[in-house]
DNA sequence: CCGATCTTTCAGAAATTTCTGAAAGATCGG
DNA sequence: CCGATCTTTCAGAAATTTCTGAAAGATCGG
């Protein structure tokens, strides 16, 4: 009986280790791939990787943890952590009895979505609107057919982008549940 | 009387020239700024500039026209024109009696939007979904609390991204008018 | 105030992306 | 088939972005 218990215990240990290994692999893959994807999104690779790492971290992590895990320099880790904090995708956590800062990711998908939507709007929609309305204004008095066509093209773009901007605000300000309901209607 | 007519004619010429000048300036600004914006969108500057140029061109343009206007090399112009054609944002136009290819932009804002949405989905949403479902699957059997948390996080992200993907399809496949109607409801 | 520990900054290096210009390839009329 | 004209490709250059590692700065307990 002693032997059996021992053997079972060993088996359990093995299983646990194998599972831990599998999890580590899956997580590493997620971090690496998410980082690669970041470049497509116009976000830098490291920033996306850190975000992925923290989103799947069971505990808040320090700058050194991140450095070690992703094998990146302190400067790089620091800059991107702060950038993520600025976006609002991660938070600084202070632990009592600890001098170091810990970082923790926002894990709620709806929150993540609204943050990314807000940031994209700021970087992509708003500057576009500014350009369009300026160009529309500058060309508004021109009488030649080309001038009128240009003015109208600017206006059409401006209207559309402005409209997209409003939509984005509306959707972002919804509660998760409501957005889903809305969508169900739209998809149903 | 002769003098007056002549004088009026001169005045008219001046006005027309001044207007043409103003239009040229507005258009140049649009092209330059739109290009700068392109980088934010993860599209290269030249591609965005060419698109802006063609969107505001009264006539289809040749590769040489584009080269001259934007002061870029033939290779650069060619590559980006073809890329825009691949996206579907511009079309090749053949003129009878002309060997050269002319390019013409899609000017309908709703069309532009659906094309960009489709491309973004392909580059941003679909790879994300692939990663998420792979990682979810790989971690589905793991029993440890960390494993379960990881699996659930992957699933939550997968569901959300999948949902966004479906929404994007739905909206893109709407007719312009219907989308507007829909939006009016949402915004009203 | 001092040393220890942690955070921040930034000049130059490395990596990545984009562009040039020339050469090769395609297609046309004659 | 030939020369003229236009398109395509691509190696290396240039521009841009990202990263490193070290130095400077901040904050704490004692």
């Amino acid at each position: 009986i002693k032997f059996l218990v021992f053997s079972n215990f060993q088996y359990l240990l093995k299983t646990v280790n194998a599972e831990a290994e599998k999890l580590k692999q899956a997580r590493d893959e997620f971090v690496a791939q998410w980082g690669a994807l970041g470049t497509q999104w116009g976000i830098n690779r490291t920033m996306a990787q850190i975000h992925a790492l923290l989103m799947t971290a069971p505990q808040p992590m320090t700058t050194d943890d991140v450095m070690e895990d992703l094998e990146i320099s302190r400067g790089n880790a620091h800059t991107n952590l702060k950038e993520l904090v600025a976006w609002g995708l991660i938070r600084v956590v202070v632990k009592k009895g600890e001098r170091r800062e810990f970082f923790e990711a926002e894990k709620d998908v709806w929150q993540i979505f609204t943050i990314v939507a807000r940031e994209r709007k700021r970087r992509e929609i708003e500057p576009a609107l500014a350009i369009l309305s300026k160009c529309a204004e500058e060309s508004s008095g021109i009488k030649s057919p080309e001038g009128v066509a240009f003015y109208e093209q600017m206006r059409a773009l401006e209207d559309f982008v402005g409209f997209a901007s409003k939509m984005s605000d509306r959707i972002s300000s919804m509660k998760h549940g409501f957005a889903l309901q809305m969508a169900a209607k739209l998809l149903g």
Side-chain angles (χ1 to χ4, degrees), chain A:
Chain A
I1 278 193
K2 236 181 199 168
F3 174 74
L4 262 176
V5 169
F6 183 64
S7 164
N8 268 339
F9 183 65
Q10 277 211 329
Y11 174 73
L12 195 66
L13 264 187
K14 250 195 221 157
T15 310
V16 166
N17 275 339
E19 285 206 332
E21 188 53 37
K22 246 171 78 182
L23 176 59
K24 197 184 169 322
Q25 270 183 15
R27 193 169 164 219
D28 279 357
E29 188 181 350
F30 174 62
V31 170
Q33 298 280 81
W34 203 252
L37 207 68
T39 43
Q40 303 285 12
W41 283 64
I43 289 166
N44 95 38
R45 187 191 312 280
T46 308
M47 188 169 151
Q49 283 183 335
I50 296 180
H51 184 226
L53 188 70
L54 286 173
M55 270 203 306
T56 56
Q59 303 294 330
M61 296 174 79
T62 63
T63 304
D64 289 75
D65 293 337
V66 171
M67 284 167 63
E68 194 182 346
D69 209 309
L70 300 180
E71 299 182 49
I72 57 174
S73 73
R74 182 171 304 282
N76 195 7
H78 179 264
T79 306
N80 284 296
L81 280 165
K82 291 293 149 164
E83 185 72 8
L84 282 163
V85 170
W87 278 50
L89 286 172
I90 68 176
R91 275 181 294 274
V92 177
V93 177
V94 268
K95 290 199 177 186
K96 42 189 170 184
E98 283 273 13
R99 279 277 298 276
R100 299 174 296 176
E101 287 183 324
F102 286 74
F103 299 91
E104 175 187 70
E106 170 61 61
K107 295 190 177 185
D108 180 77
V109 285
W110 183 252
Q111 273 296 326
I112 295 170
F113 169 76
T114 57
I115 288 168
V116 172
R118 166 160 45 78
E119 201 62 26
R120 286 201 146 190
K121 184 172 170 248
R122 199 177 61 73
R123 295 200 312 169
E124 301 178 353
I125 310 274
E126 278 161 20
L129 261 185
I131 294 163
L132 292 168
S133 80
K134 183 151 185 292
C135 289
E137 206 202 327
E138 282 175 6
S139 63
S140 66
I142 303 177
K143 299 270 195 341
S144 65
E146 293 86 6
V148 173
F150 181 82
Y151 173 75
E152 279 170 4
Q153 182 70 11
M154 291 299 106
R155 259 295 145 78
L157 285 166
E158 188 188 1
D159 287 349
F160 187 81
V161 175
F163 158 72
S165 172
K166 269 187 210 143
M167 285 289 280
S168 158
D169 283 345
R170 277 297 168 107
I171 293 173
S172 288
S173 70
M174 289 176 186
K175 288 270 173 292
H176 188 176
F178 184 63
L180 272 178
Q181 223 180 319
M182 178 90 244
K185 236 190 207 165
L186 214 67
L187 297 175

